[in-house]
Amino acid sequence: MAEGEDMQTFTSIMDALVRISTSMKNMEKELLCPVCQEMYKQPLVLPCTHNVCQACAREVLGQQGYIGHGGDPSSEPTSPASTPSTRSPRLSRRTLPKPDRLDRLLKSGFGTYPGRKRGALHPQVIMFPCPACQGDVELGERGLAGLFRNLTLERVVERYRQSVSVGGAILCQLCKPPPLEATKGCTECRATFCNECFKLFHPWGTQKAQHEPTLPTLSFRPKGLMCPDHKEEVTHYCKTCQRLVCQLCRVRRTHSGHKITPVLSAYQALKDKLTKSLTYILGNQDTVQTQICELEEAVRHTEVSGQQAKEEVSQLVRGLGAVLEEKRASLLQAIEECQQERLARLSAQIQEHRSLLDGSGLVGYAQEVLKETDQPCFVQAAKQLHNRIARATEALQTFRPAASSSFRHCQLDVGREMKLLTELNFLRVPEAPVIDTQRTFAYDQIFLCWRLPPHSPPAWHYTIEFRRTDVPAQPGPTRWQRREEVRGTSALLENPDTGSVYVLRVRGCNKAGYGEYSEDVHLHTPPAPGIQKIARRGGACLQSQLLGRLRQ
């Protein structure tokens, strides 16, 4: 019995460890810097509430051409590891802006240079490109020195490293490459040392020799969060600026008239909100899983639908290509026939002119006929020959090619077709119709008239929705009466309730789907049956006019 209980306890412990390990591994993506894609090291909170490593922030500002604005935040004390002569190899490998870019930025007013006054009339505005939200955030004149360090995030990263044993050995920050494994840490210096470096930076007989060594760590955090401007511990929270402030900040003109509460109140309010939201999320895990399944199904449907859309577009484009190819063959055939006809006529004309050359058949035959001395025989032979010679002479005197060599009449004007092909695009849904209030009114029937905006895609048919607004609202979603597939741009709604107020709206539909609804229009029907009977006599003409408009 005891063995069974021990086994059950062991199984429960292992399941809990597996859940914790899985949770930690899933949390890792929340602990990665968006710049270096490594776990945060001394993260800073940007004005857009995103975080970035301090070293990465300096690197980004350097690449942007800002010089002298990457100072340490107030909550980060100085350490030997941050001095230029002893900085880590990672910092030394960072690329700095090109000289020509720096010169250009300095001339335009960025950075610091000789002659620039600290209290200039137009202070420099430092913009930081946030890699998380892809937006430019303003850091102010002090740059990184005006940002808070996210100590909570550092603690979470450290707990994560301890839980999953990430990172391996901690290296000395002061060694020359390659660094040795760190054996000591110093909370006063905020650095990790090997034995030799610890002795070197804590020489005997100096004040640093009194520093107590600790175990090596990757993060040396200050005891409390300090104000970047006044080096005082923050005690209040400004709701207007959404920023932690100290006692001196409260009395400054910057926060005059702002809503400022003690940091304890802000802590409790934010903690309650976060706890409530987290409790809601944890209590609706089935809903989350259901929505994940719906999204996965939407992904699969999107893949299938996208492939079908690609095939449809390819088929349509191939159809256009087939039509163009058929038309091309037809046009080329017409040009070929015209070309052969002209070549035949020109070839015949060339043969006629060649017969007029000296030594040709016709000229030689005429010369021989002229030698005939028998007059009757000459007349008989020369009569037919003279007609041929006369036609040749006339053709020679009025020479003109039998066919034109130009094919300008075969030129194509494809400007309109090219414009249509250039503007070929996916079909859009119709825009929201515009109800014509001048032609829309209610009597025994409701006559509704509308039109599409000028540049709206066409609509194949319309859907009309209407409901009464003067009845008590029913629990649940608003219920509309609907009339589907209305052709044309007007409709007649028969037998409305008398003495009622109706709200109506219209939307168009085509192959791309349904468009947006029009703006709601409210119509009043006649107030009472008695008045309606009296008004029927005088309203018969109006009703016939409505029906006539509808038929039009």
Side-chain angles (χ1 to χ4, degrees):
M1 187 68 180
E3 293 181 357
E5 292 179 354
D6 293 342
M7 182 59 66
Q8 185 177 2
T9 303
F10 176 76
T11 304
S12 301
I13 293 175
M14 291 302 298
D15 292 341
L17 290 177
V18 169
R19 287 195 299 270
I20 293 174
S21 177
T22 304
S23 176
M24 284 295 182
K25 289 184 179 298
N26 293 334
M27 188 179 63
E28 181 177 353
K29 62 181 180 181
E30 299 292 336
L31 308 180
L32 298 180
C33 172
V35 177
C36 62
Q37 293 301 316
E38 298 178 1
M39 289 195 179
Y40 286 108
K41 296 178 181 178
Q42 301 178 3
L44 303 178
V45 183
L46 299 175
C48 59
T49 70
H50 293 119
N51 299 280
V52 65
C53 295
Q54 179 178 336
C56 295
R58 292 175 181 173
E59 181 178 357
V60 171
L61 283 183
Q63 292 175 352
Q64 293 294 320
Y66 294 104
I67 306 174
H69 295 277
D72 294 344
S74 59
S75 57
E76 173 59 19
T78 58
S79 67
S82 62
T83 58
S85 60
T86 58
R87 63 178 54 178
S88 66
R90 181 186 174 194
L91 291 176
S92 63
R93 290 195 299 267
R94 291 207 178 98
T95 57
L96 294 177
K98 295 181 179 180
D100 56 345
R101 175 173 171 80
L102 291 179
D103 293 340
R104 185 170 64 255
L105 291 170
L106 289 174
K107 292 178 181 179
S108 61
F110 290 99
T112 58
Y113 51 89
R116 180 177 176 88
K117 296 182 179 180
R118 179 181 180 85
L121 183 61
H122 301 286
Q124 178 185 6
V125 178
I126 302 176
M127 304 301 295
F128 186 88
C130 177
C133 61
Q134 303 298 322
D136 292 337
V137 293
E138 183 177 344
L139 300 183
E141 294 184 61
R142 301 187 61 200
L144 299 181
L147 300 180
F148 283 104
R149 183 169 160 183
N150 196 336
L151 302 181
T152 302
L153 181 57
E154 288 190 40
R155 296 187 183 99
V156 174
V157 171
E158 187 171 354
R159 288 197 297 268
Y160 176 83
R161 289 181 179 275
Q162 293 175 356
S163 63
V164 297
S165 301
V166 173
I170 300 176
L171 302 179
C172 176
Q173 295 179 272
L174 284 305
C175 281
K176 295 182 180 180
L180 300 177
E181 183 177 352
T183 57
K184 298 178 181 179
C186 181
T187 56
E188 300 291 335
C189 298
R190 267 49 178 186
T192 56
F193 304 86
C194 63
N195 290 330
E196 295 298 327
C197 290
F198 187 83
K199 295 178 182 178
L200 178 64
F201 284 91
H202 298 79
W204 182 260
T206 63
Q207 186 177 1
K208 288 186 177 182
Q210 306 298 324
H211 293 179
E212 291 292 334
T214 62
L215 294 176
T217 180
L218 294 175
S219 176
F220 294 95
R221 295 183 299 273
K223 296 181 180 180
L225 202 59
M226 310 299 289
C227 174
D229 298 326
H230 306 108
K231 307 299 185 292
E232 297 285 341
E233 185 177 357
V234 293
T235 57
H236 290 76
Y237 180 76
C238 179
K239 293 183 177 180
T240 305
C241 301
Q242 296 185 357
R243 181 180 174 88
L244 292 167
V245 295
C246 65
Q247 291 287 357
L248 294 177
C249 291
R250 293 185 59 192
V251 299
R252 289 298 180 92
R253 186 180 303 175
T254 308
H255 298 277
S256 176
H258 291 185
K259 295 181 180 180
I260 299 178
T261 61
V263 69
L264 178 61
S265 301
Y267 161 80
Q268 192 62 45
L270 288 174
K271 187 173 183 180
D272 292 344
K273 290 181 180 178
L274 182 59
T275 302
K276 184 178 180 180
S277 300
L278 188 60
T279 303
Y280 175 81
I281 293 175
L282 294 177
N284 291 272
Q285 292 297 295
D286 294 339
T287 303
V288 174
Q289 190 62 40
T290 301
Q291 293 177 358
I292 290 175
C293 294
E294 292 180 2
L295 292 174
E296 291 176 349
E297 181 63 26
V299 169
R300 290 190 291 268
H301 186 266
T302 300
E303 292 176 351
V304 174
S305 300
Q307 188 62 32
Q308 292 177 352
K310 291 179 182 179
E311 293 177 358
E312 291 179 1
V313 170
S314 299
Q315 184 177 359
L316 290 174
V317 173
R318 284 195 298 268
L320 289 175
V323 172
L324 288 175
E325 183 62 27
E326 182 179 354
K327 192 64 177 177
R328 185 186 72 88
S330 175
L331 294 174
L332 292 180
Q333 181 64 27
I335 295 176
E336 181 67 22
E337 293 176 357
C338 180
Q339 182 184 25
Q340 294 301 327
E341 179 186 0
R342 292 186 179 186
L343 290 176
R345 293 166 58 183
L346 290 173
S347 298
Q349 190 176 17
I350 290 174
Q351 293 298 328
E352 291 180 0
H353 276 66
R354 284 179 177 174
S355 64
L356 301 180
L357 295 174
D358 186 16
S360 64
L362 179 60
V363 174
Y365 176 67
Q367 291 175 349
E368 292 298 326
V369 170
L370 288 175
K371 295 178 182 179
E372 180 64 43
T373 56
D374 189 347
Q375 296 179 358
C377 293
F378 176 80
V379 172
Q380 181 182 8
K383 184 176 181 180
Q384 181 183 4
L385 180 61
H386 179 267
N387 293 334
R388 294 176 62 188
I389 293 296
R391 289 195 300 270
T393 303
E394 183 180 0
L396 184 62
Q397 294 175 350
T398 60
F399 172 74
R400 184 179 182 183
S404 174
S405 60
S406 174
F407 281 82
R408 291 184 178 179
H409 67 287
C410 295
Q411 297 295 319
L412 292 178
D413 182 10
V414 295
R416 182 171 59 90
E417 289 76 9
M418 290 296 293
K419 182 179 180 181
L420 290 175
L421 289 176
T422 304
E423 296 176 352
L424 183 65
N425 206 337
F426 299 110
L427 180 65
R428 296 183 293 114
V429 297
E431 296 181 9
V434 179
I435 295 181
D436 189 351
T437 57
Q438 300 296 328
R439 300 174 58 190
T440 297
F441 41 92
Y443 197 67
D444 290 345
Q445 293 92 5
I446 296 178
F447 181 72
L448 185 63
C449 184
W450 63 88
R451 66 180 182 276
L452 285 175
H455 301 290
S456 170
W460 294 358
H461 56 80
Y462 297 89
T463 297
I464 301 175
E465 291 187 352
F466 58 96
R467 62 180 176 87
R468 288 182 57 181
T469 60
D470 54 349
V471 295
Q474 300 294 330
T478 304
R479 295 182 179 181
W480 292 79
Q481 292 179 277
R482 185 178 290 112
R483 179 177 293 184
E484 302 281 359
E485 297 189 3
V486 177
R487 308 291 176 175
T489 57
S490 61
L492 187 66
L493 305 179
E494 299 179 348
N495 302 321
D497 295 336
T498 58
S500 303
V501 179
Y502 281 85
V503 59
L504 305 96
R505 62 184 185 182
V506 187
R507 66 173 177 175
C509 179
N510 56 20
K511 190 176 181 180
Y514 285 96
E516 296 291 334
Y517 281 103
S518 65
E519 294 185 0
D520 295 346
V521 60
H522 294 76
L523 297 177
H524 298 255
T525 55
I531 299 177
Q532 183 179 359
K533 291 180 180 178
I534 298 175
R536 281 185 185 276
R537 300 176 182 176
C541 180
L542 179 59
Q543 182 177 358
S544 62
Q545 293 179 2
L546 292 177
L547 294 174
R549 291 184 179 181
L550 182 59
R551 294 190 184 97
Q552 293 176 357

